[in-house]
Amino acid sequence: MKLVHISDIHLNEAPILGLDPVANFKRCLAYVEAHDADAERIVITGDLTHHGGEESYRLLVDILAASPLQDKLAPRLLIGNHDHRETFASVFSSTHRDPNGFVQWTEETPAGVFVYMDTVDQGRHGGRYCEARMAWLAGVLDDARSSGARAFLFMHHNPVRVNVANADIIGIINERELQALLKRYNDVIAHMFFGHCHYSLSGSVAGISYSAPRSTNHPCWPDFSGMANRMGFGELAPNYNVCFLRDDSIVVHTIDFLDAEKVQWAIETDDAVAEIKV
């Protein structure tokens, strides 16, 4: 199964750090439309807007409505710390919510069950996965285990420390409790996808692999100085991830969509001479 994973689009009318988030998201979608429309799912893991305002969500509605990515390719939308849960739900009135009102749900896919999680602690940049949400997740994973299905988790906040101080102080605050739950189900959870940090990440926690793309607007530079008040940014390539989910492997590619015009193509002929196609 082919999956497109996008994160941290930060829609906003004004530029952010000198970059236009609306134009960049539109260019990202255009590249997906042109090159990855054979995917089975597209998921955007939060920070859909920069300030959580209704006008930004309505702009997102208009952008998605104008895109040919519809039905199974209509992007699944998660919320992040820059979003506002109730404002999002008021604009996207058909959004799925659990019995406690959190924006989380599950979906059956050819690869297994996709579990869309709500890690937002409203009003704070750090995330939280409370007892009610963990109980919901445990029930979902129990069902997956009973049916023999693999589960793929999607969330906004990083559920593990990434050794970058300005990200670790706003990750999931109760990460130890969440990791203890994840460890109990590492025979069921095949992979975790998140965003929030704005740079490409991969690794594992509690015996579960994970990956994250950069922001589509303002990628950050991982800083290992330990200074929590310092953030690296600049003319860095935004990206999204293309993931191939197979029974025996998971492969994740990063697509620097704004750099596509720099690519040249070489095709080998019968006499092994490469022809350059521009």
Side-chain angles (χ1 to χ4, degrees):
M1 174 181 171
K2 182 178 181 180
L3 162 73
V4 170
H5 177 199
I6 302 169
S7 199
D8 296 271
I9 62 178
H10 284 264
L11 291 190
N12 195 54
E13 291 184 359
I16 301 171
L17 300 176
L19 301 166
D20 185 341
V22 176
N24 280 345
F25 178 56
K26 288 181 176 179
R27 292 180 70 178
C28 174
L29 276 189
Y31 196 85
V32 173
E33 291 162 7
H35 300 279
D36 294 309
D38 60 336
E40 288 285 338
R41 293 293 187 281
I42 299 170
V43 181
I44 306 179
T45 50
D47 280 358
L48 307 172
T49 68
H50 197 52
H51 294 296
E54 179 179 344
E55 67 283 356
S56 295
Y57 291 119
R58 295 205 179 280
L59 175 59
L60 178 56
V61 169
D62 292 341
I63 293 172
L64 296 180
S67 169
L69 301 171
Q70 302 295 330
D71 300 322
K72 73 175 183 180
L73 285 184
R76 276 50 174 170
L77 305 176
L78 280 68
I79 57 172
N81 53 292
H82 280 262
D83 292 305
H84 189 278
R85 185 181 290 113
E86 296 306 323
T87 306
F88 167 77
S90 71
V91 175
F92 290 88
S93 57
S94 62
T95 192
H96 300 276
R97 306 182 78 167
D98 74 5
N100 294 297
F102 295 109
V103 180
Q104 47 184 27
W105 74 104
T106 65
E107 182 179 23
E108 297 294 332
T109 77
V113 59
F114 279 17
V115 183
Y116 305 117
M117 298 164 58
D118 180 343
T119 58
V120 171
D121 190 12
Q122 198 68 65
R124 295 182 171 87
H125 285 298
R128 181 180 298 277
Y129 209 64
C130 62
E131 289 185 7
R133 281 175 277 190
M134 285 197 285
W136 175 87
L137 178 59
V140 166
L141 296 175
D142 281 335
D143 290 344
R145 179 180 280 159
S146 296
S147 65
R150 296 195 303 169
F152 296 84
L153 307 190
F154 296 82
M155 66 197 81
H156 178 69
H157 291 84
N158 46 302
V160 59
R161 294 184 181 273
V162 298
N163 296 296
V164 176
N166 65 12
D168 288 340
I169 62 171
I170 58 171
I172 294 180
I173 294 170
N174 59 326
E175 63 173 25
R176 291 184 182 275
E177 291 87 348
L178 177 58
Q179 288 173 15
L181 184 151
L182 297 173
K183 187 174 182 179
R184 299 205 312 267
Y185 294 97
N186 62 13
D187 60 318
V188 176
I189 304 168
H191 193 77
M192 296 189 294
F193 304 88
F194 60 86
H196 191 46
C197 298
H198 285 223
Y199 33 79
S200 298
L201 277 168
S202 60
S204 67
V205 62
I208 304 163
S209 60
Y210 63 75
S211 60
R214 302 180 196 131
S215 166
T216 58
N217 186 65
H218 47 293
C220 293
W221 191 259
D223 171 27
F224 308 118
S225 69
M227 298 173 61
N229 62 346
R230 187 166 82 159
M231 181 184 75
F233 69 96
E235 295 183 10
L236 308 173
N239 71 17
Y240 65 88
N241 286 350
V242 172
C243 315
F244 294 90
L245 314 179
R246 304 185 180 96
D247 290 341
D248 59 352
S249 66
I250 296 169
V251 177
V252 179
H253 293 270
T254 60
I255 308 298
D256 300 344
F257 56 91
L258 294 186
D259 284 346
E261 62 187 23
K262 302 176 184 178
V263 177
Q264 299 184 50
W265 298 95
I267 299 177
E268 293 187 1
T269 61
D270 292 340
D271 58 359
V273 177
E275 296 180 356
I276 303 300
K277 305 291 185 181
V278 179

